[in-house]
Each structure stands twice: as structure tokens, then as C-alpha cells.
């Protein structure tokens, strides 16, 4: 069996190249997202999680390079130099933070599994927005393996392994 069948949880300090799920939910392929910036991989390759709850966690250990004031997007640089974007929802910037509560600040050191944000998913959906959460490798590393599409995943479980 493959990498993901052997591991239940990421290690407390994520090893270089391993990205864990930021939220409980169902895995989808990036190409399925109804937004060309993501589906055409303009920002980088990655994967999507359709969240089943509103508790979001850091998928890696590193420094928060960017935390959008609206609480919908987080950029993390790992100690190995990988840059990871967690983007919660599609066009959710339009909500101007309504329904999003960030638990972190830009420049902060963060560990895999630390809380990033709490999101009222029902409020986001009621406002007409998708809650699809993109986990994108913006620094260009190749993805060696990833969780299977339509697989249910728990926050902190392995999502992707980078080259």
C-alpha cells in the first residue's frame, strides 16, 4: 500500500515535504474547483478539502508569511522553504471577514496542528459562497503523492507529500 495507508496522523513537527489536512472533510481534486486561478493551477498545484466543520488548523510548521485581514486565506513558509496557501472558500473575500475568526497573526511561528481559524460554514453557504478549501503549494515543488479524491480526511492527517 502507499504512503497514506501507512500513516494515521502527521508527526507533531511536520517533516519537510509533508502537508497535512487543515480541516476535517472530503478530498477533491483541484481541477474540480469552479475558479480558474485554482483549477488551472495558476497559483500552484494542490488539493481541495470540502470541510465538514469550521475548525481549521495549520497543515505545516513554519512562519505565517501572510494572514488576510478577512481571515479567509493564510500563507505559510515552512522551515524547508516550501510556501503553502490555505484558501478557505471561493470568493469569500467578499464577506469581509463576516463568519471568519482568525486565531493567528502575520509573522507568527506556527506548528502543524495549531489552530488557524474558526469559520461559520453555514453563514458562508447561506451567503452563496462555496466552502471548498484549497491547499496550494505556491513555491512550485512537485507533489509526489496526495490523498485520494472523495476520501474522507481528518485535520492533521497526511494530505500531500512533496518532492
Amino acid at each position: 500500500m502507499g504512503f497514506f495507508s501507512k500513516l494515521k496522523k502527521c508527526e507533531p513537527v511536520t517533516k519537510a515535504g509533508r502537508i497535512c489536512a487543515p480541516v476535517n472533510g472530503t478530498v477533491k481534486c483541484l481541477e474540480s474547483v469552479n475558479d480558474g486561478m485554482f483549477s488551472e493551477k495558476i497559483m500552484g498545484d494542490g488539493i481541495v478539502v470540502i470541510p465538514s466543520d469550521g475548525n481549521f488548523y495549520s497543515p505545516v510548521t513554519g512562519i505565517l508569511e501572510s494572514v488576510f485581514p478577512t481571515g479567509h486565506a493564510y500563507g505559510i513558509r515552512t522551515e524547508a522553504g516550501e510556501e503553502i496557501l490555505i484558501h478557505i472558500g471561493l470568493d469569500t473575500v467578499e464577506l469581509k471577514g463576516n463568519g471568519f475568526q482568525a486565531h493567528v497573526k502575520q509573522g507568527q511561528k506556527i506548528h502543524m496542528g495549531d489552530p488557524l481559524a474558526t469559520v461559520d460554514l453555514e453563514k458562508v453557504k447561506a451567503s452563496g459562497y462555496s466552502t471548498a478549501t484549497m491547499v496550494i503549494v505556491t513555491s512550485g515543488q512537485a507533489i509526489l503523492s496526495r490523498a485520494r479524491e472523495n476520501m474522507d480526511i481528518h485535520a492533521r492527517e497526511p494530505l500531500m507529500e512533496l518532492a
Side-chain angles (χ1 to χ4, degrees):
M1 297 294 275
F3 169 77
F4 292 109
S5 63
K6 294 178 185 171
L7 290 175
K8 292 282 187 201
K9 302 272 182 214
C10 276
E11 296 152 8
V13 176
T14 310
K15 74 176 189 178
R18 184 177 298 158
I19 301 170
C20 294
V23 65
N24 297 324
T26 303
V27 174
K28 297 291 181 185
C29 68
L30 196 56
E31 294 82 2
S32 69
V33 175
N34 191 20
D35 183 318
M37 286 296 283
F38 296 112
S39 64
E40 295 174 24
K41 302 180 182 179
I42 293 168
M43 299 183 76
D45 199 0
I47 203 161
V48 178
V49 179
I50 306 300
S52 59
D53 67 52
N55 299 309
F56 290 81
Y57 304 92
S58 179
V60 294
T61 294
I63 301 292
L64 281 155
E65 295 284 323
S66 61
V67 176
F68 282 72
T70 56
H72 80 286
Y74 303 84
I76 305 170
R77 180 186 301 273
T78 70
E79 293 166 340
E82 301 141 345
E83 296 174 1
I84 312 301
L85 171 68
I86 298 90
H87 193 283
I88 305 168
L90 294 172
D91 298 323
T92 49
V93 67
E94 300 297 327
L95 291 171
K96 298 181 176 149
N98 191 10
F100 293 80
Q101 180 184 4
H103 301 301
V104 293
K105 295 185 186 318
Q106 189 165 323
Q108 177 180 333
K109 168 84 172 174
I110 194 161
H111 297 277
M112 190 286 297
D114 286 352
L116 277 182
T118 304
V119 179
D120 184 339
L121 298 179
E122 294 309 313
K123 183 178 276 191
V124 172
K125 290 177 194 174
S127 298
Y129 297 97
S130 168
T131 60
T133 298
M134 285 60 64
V135 182
I136 308 294
V137 181
T138 60
S139 51
Q141 286 87 349
I143 298 173
L144 291 177
S145 60
R146 62 184 90 212
R148 292 182 330 273
E149 186 171 12
N150 297 320
M151 176 178 133
D152 288 334
I153 197 163
H154 296 283
R156 304 178 188 103
E157 287 183 335
L159 185 64
M160 295 183 276
E161 179 103 7
L162 303 181

